[in-house]
Amino acid sequence: MALFHTDYVALCCRDVQVERQWWIASFACEETAVPADWDCPLPSDVALKLPGAAEPTILLSDSGEVQRAGYERTNDRSIVFCGNLKKAHEYLRGRGVQAGVIENGGDTHFFEVRDPEGNIVEICNEG
């Protein structure tokens, strides 16, 4: 079973290649073709899939290109799920990611990491 999974993460980035490298280095993502059924594709789009995923679930887009195209894409808080929060925390720290402290959010436990552009990625325990 894969360590991480997500329904969908979409980020607008100043430097798509830096973000791409961070996701690959941090989460061991694999770059793949942008699916034809994804809405409003742009030339700069990068699709990534987490290890063990059948389909890509992460979309990185150039923020300038998004703005010029007139699309409304926002960088809402990205959420990535895991089955073992402590193991996920150790895994990311072992890959050089500055992982925040594990917090209790009431119904769930989580910690946060920040990508190179300062976007928060919340790692949540799914069960």
Side-chain angles (χ1 to χ4, degrees):
M1 181 173 186
L3 182 58
F4 299 105
H5 71 276
T6 188
D7 295 328
Y8 185 71
V9 168
L11 291 170
C12 294
C13 319
R14 291 182 303 277
D15 190 330
V16 172
Q17 291 310 311
V18 168
E19 285 289 312
R20 176 187 156 278
Q21 281 305 116
W22 183 80
W23 280 91
I24 290 170
S26 301
F27 290 90
C29 289
E30 178 184 332
E31 186 171 359
T32 186
V34 176
D37 62 345
W38 281 13
D39 293 335
C40 308
L42 294 168
S44 69
D45 287 350
V46 171
L48 301 170
K49 62 182 183 175
L50 291 162
E55 300 291 327
T57 55
I58 300 167
L59 173 65
L60 307 176
S61 301
D62 179 271
S63 55
E65 195 173 48
V66 169
Q67 187 177 27
R68 287 188 298 278
Y71 296 156
E72 291 188 33
R73 294 184 186 170
T74 60
N75 284 357
D76 295 329
R77 180 174 291 242
S78 301
I79 299 176
V80 174
F81 299 98
C82 67
N84 184 323
L85 200 60
K86 185 176 179 181
K87 184 175 179 181
H89 194 267
E90 291 171 0
Y91 174 87
L92 290 171
R93 289 191 60 178
R95 294 178 79 92
V97 176
Q98 290 188 323
V101 298
I102 296 175
E103 299 181 44
N104 182 351
D107 293 340
T108 188
H109 290 82
F110 68 95
F111 65 92
E112 297 176 345
V113 298
R114 289 190 184 265
D115 70 14
E117 295 191 5
N119 298 304
I120 294 172
V121 179
E122 188 174 298
I123 313 299
C124 293
N125 194 26
E126 64 185 339

